[in-house]
Amino acid sequence: MAIENSQGVWLFPNGGTCTRTDCNPRRPLRLVLLGAPGVGKGTQADLISEEFSSCPLSTGDVFRATRGMPKEKISPAMREAIEAMRNGLLVSDDMVIAMVEERGRCLKCGYGFMLDGFPRTVGQAKALDAMLAEMKLELDAVLSYTLDRDSVVERLSGRRTCGKCKTTYHLRFSPPKVEEVCDLCGGELYQRDDDRPEPILKRLEQYEASALPLEEYYKAQGLLLEISAEGSPQTVFERTRGLLRSILQERSAAQA
């Protein structure tokens, strides 16, 4: 059965269809989003999509979408990656690159794209460059959202998840109406193990180790734009929107 939504091809390249028909006549923006866990990349991706039409393409969404699916309905590259994780192995660059190559149609989308979760290494970044060059496309920018460690820990450790419907809350930014009780279904809220300070710090260390070379790679190409993730999502988006509008204006001036 075909999966029909605006990201159907990205999530399910063998059975998905894209139903978008509102193609923006402006030049599409092709972006990579970088930032540690907790900086709010997903929220910014949604806001960018609303303003500029670019499709958010998250590798994390791909993994979540395949949970519980029959093996025969999962693409070959995804099956290999999932099998590696089940055996406690790392998902190699080659596996991740193959996953994105399966979804190459999304990179050619007339709306543009925002990649989140790929690339994670310089090797993956070079593979993306090669894919885009073959399509005669290029990146417009790499947006790197920055936030100090203490703020990241506060954001992530304050999250609570409903044990029944999986709705998420935040003790400071979006608390439930009744303490420890889900507004939607009345389920009990809990703190995930990986949202505790110690695991968060380990994840930050891992991210920083891989992100630094990647940022240097894109900085050398003149593509890296650092954006402070401090403040409300709308405040961060105002910073983001100003930079993206400047990119579009520069492109228009160059083509005039």
Side-chain angles (χ1 to χ4, degrees):
M1 181 177 66
I3 307 297
E4 294 190 2
N5 58 49
S6 61
Q7 293 182 308
V9 176
W10 176 252
L11 298 178
F12 306 101
N14 295 334
T17 57
C18 181
T19 59
R20 293 193 66 171
T21 57
D22 57 334
C23 193
N24 193 324
R26 294 182 298 179
R27 184 186 186 281
L29 284 167
R30 300 182 176 95
L31 309 168
V32 167
L33 307 186
L34 301 179
V39 299
K41 294 194 304 298
T43 300
Q44 292 305 307
D46 290 340
L47 293 171
I48 293 169
S49 183
E50 289 176 12
E51 177 85 12
F52 298 97
S53 295
S54 301
C55 283
L57 305 178
S58 165
T59 52
D61 287 346
V62 174
F63 279 104
R64 284 185 284 273
T66 56
R67 286 177 185 168
M69 285 186 65
K71 187 175 180 180
E72 63 274 10
K73 292 188 177 181
I74 301 174
S75 67
M78 276 302 300
R79 283 202 298 270
E80 187 177 2
I82 291 170
E83 192 64 28
M85 290 189 295
R86 283 175 179 165
N87 292 325
L89 303 175
L90 292 175
V91 178
S92 68
D93 277 4
D94 287 344
M95 292 179 194
V96 178
I97 292 165
M99 284 168 47
V100 176
E101 286 177 335
E102 286 181 335
R103 295 158 173 79
R105 280 190 292 165
C106 294
L107 301 181
K108 293 187 284 188
C109 176
Y111 300 93
F113 61 77
M114 292 170 287
L115 284 166
D116 179 5
F118 178 87
R120 285 187 182 274
T121 67
V122 172
Q124 292 177 16
K126 290 180 177 178
L128 175 61
D129 288 347
M131 289 182 222
L132 294 177
E134 188 174 341
M135 300 172 190
K136 295 182 171 53
L137 301 173
E138 59 183 23
L139 286 176
D140 289 296
V142 176
L143 309 183
S144 178
Y145 290 96
T146 62
L147 192 65
D148 66 85
R149 280 192 173 195
D150 288 344
S151 296
V152 170
V153 171
E154 179 187 18
R155 286 189 184 184
L156 292 180
S157 62
R159 291 196 304 198
R160 296 295 183 272
T161 303
C162 175
K164 288 184 179 180
C165 69
K166 306 305 178 185
T167 300
T168 58
Y169 298 84
H170 194 281
L171 298 183
R172 177 181 173 188
F173 304 114
S174 56
K177 294 175 183 177
V178 178
E179 187 176 353
E180 303 300 330
V181 177
C182 177
D183 295 347
L184 300 181
C185 72
E188 184 178 354
L189 304 185
Y190 71 99
Q191 184 180 39
R192 297 185 336 186
D193 288 341
D194 58 354
D195 282 343
R196 300 181 189 278
E198 200 170 302
I200 291 170
L201 289 172
K202 289 182 179 178
R203 286 159 61 197
L204 286 176
E205 289 171 3
Q206 292 171 349
Y207 173 79
E208 290 165 1
S210 63
L212 183 59
L214 193 57
E215 289 174 352
E216 291 298 323
Y217 177 79
Y218 282 124
K219 188 181 294 184
Q221 296 184 33
L223 290 172
L224 189 73
L225 298 175
E226 292 191 346
I227 302 172
S228 170
E230 188 66 49
S232 69
Q234 192 59 43
T235 297
V236 178
F237 180 60
E238 290 299 326
R239 299 177 190 129
T240 303
R241 176 162 52 191
L243 291 172
L244 295 181
R245 284 180 173 174
S246 295
I247 289 172
L248 289 172
Q249 289 169 359
E250 289 173 7
R251 295 290 191 271
S252 296
Q255 293 170 0

